[in-house]
C-alpha cells in the first residue's frame, strides 16, 4: 500500500502540472493543512517540512501563476509529489478510528487523486494508454466548459481547500462527526468524479 501510495501520488502531482499554477497551488494548500495538523498533533518534523514545502511552492507560484514565466517541469513536479506523499505517510492523524485516520491523508490530496482517476479511467474507456498525455485532465475539462484558465485553476484550488478543511476538522470533532465528514467528503468526491468523467474528453 505504501509503495502504491508513493508512486501514485508522485505521478498524480506530475499529472496535475498541466496548467499554470495548478500543481504549485494545490501542493501549497495541502502542505499548509498538513503543517497545521502536524503542529496540532505534536509532530514537529512533519509540520516543519510541510511548512517548507508550502513556503517554497507559494514563492514559486508568484512566477508560475497564469501567465507563467517559469515552469517546474517533470523534475519539479515529481519531486513535490514524492515529498508530499512521504510526508502524509510520516504523519499520524489523531482520529478516533483507523479508517477516518487513513481518510485524512486522502482528503489532503483528494483533487490530484481525482484528476488522475478521471484521466486514467477516461483513457481506458477510450482504449488509450493511460500513460499517454492528453487534454482530459480536470483543468482542461473546466476550460472546455467555458472557464478561463486562471478561473479554472482557482476552482481547483478552492476544491483542494474544501477537502483540506475537512481533513483539518477531523481531529477537532467527535467520532460520529468525523465519520459524517469523511462519508460526506467521499460522496462529494464520487459526484465530482462522475461529473467530470461525463464531460468531453478533448
Amino acid at each position: 500500500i505504501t509503495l502504491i501510495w508513493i508512486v501514485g501520488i508522485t505521478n498524480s502531482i506530475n499529472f496535475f502540472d498541466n496548467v499554470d499554477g495548478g500543481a504549485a497551488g494545490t501542493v501549497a494548500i495541502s502542505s499548509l493543512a498538513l503543517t497545521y495538523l502536524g503542529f496540532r498533533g505534536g509532530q514537529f518534523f512533519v509540520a516543519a517540512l510541510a511548512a517548507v514545502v508550502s513556503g517554497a511552492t507559494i514563492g514559486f507560484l508568484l512566477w508560475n501563476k497564469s501567465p507563467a514565466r517559469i515552469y517546474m517541469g517533470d523534475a519539479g513536479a515529481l519531486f513535490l509529489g514524492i515529498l508530499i506523499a512521504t510526508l502524509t505517510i510520516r504523519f499520524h492523524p489523531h482520529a478516533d478510528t483507523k479508517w477516518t485516520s487513513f481518510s485524512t491523508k486522502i482528503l489532503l490530496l483528494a483533487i490530484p487523486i481525482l484528476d488522475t482517476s478521471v484521466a486514467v479511467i477516461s483513457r481506458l474507456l477510450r482504449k488509450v494508454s493511460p500513460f499517454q498525455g492528453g487534454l482530459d485532465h480536470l483543468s482542461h475539462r473546466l476550460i472546455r466548459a467555458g472557464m478561463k484558465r486562471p478561473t479554472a485553476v482557482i476552482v481547483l484550488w478552492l476544491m483542494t481547500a474544501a477537502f483540506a478543511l475537512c481533513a483539518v476538522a477531523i481531529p477537532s470533532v467527535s467520532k460520529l462527526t468525523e465519520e459524517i465528514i469523511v462519508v460526506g467528503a467521499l460522496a462529494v468526491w464520487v459526484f465530482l468524479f462522475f461529473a467530470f468523467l461525463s464531460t468531453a474528453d478533448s
Side-chain angles (χ1 to χ4, degrees), residues 26-34 36-37 103-111 157-171 181 185:
T26 298
V27 172
I29 294 167
S30 298
S31 299
L32 273 175
L34 188 56
Y36 170 80
L37 289 169
S103 298
T104 302
K105 304 166 185 280
I106 297 175
L107 288 171
L108 289 171
L109 296 164
I111 298 305
W157 291 349
L158 291 174
M159 290 164 61
T160 300
F163 281 101
L165 285 174
C166 291
V168 167
I170 286 176
I181 289 173

Side-chain angles (χ1 to χ4, degrees), residues 31 34 45-47 49-50 53 82-92 105:
S31 299
L34 188 56
F45 172 79
V46 172
L49 189 51
V53 173
I82 199 168
L83 273 178
I84 197 71
T86 50
L87 278 173
T88 50
I89 288 174
R90 292 275 304 189
F91 172 64
H92 300 289
K105 304 166 185 280

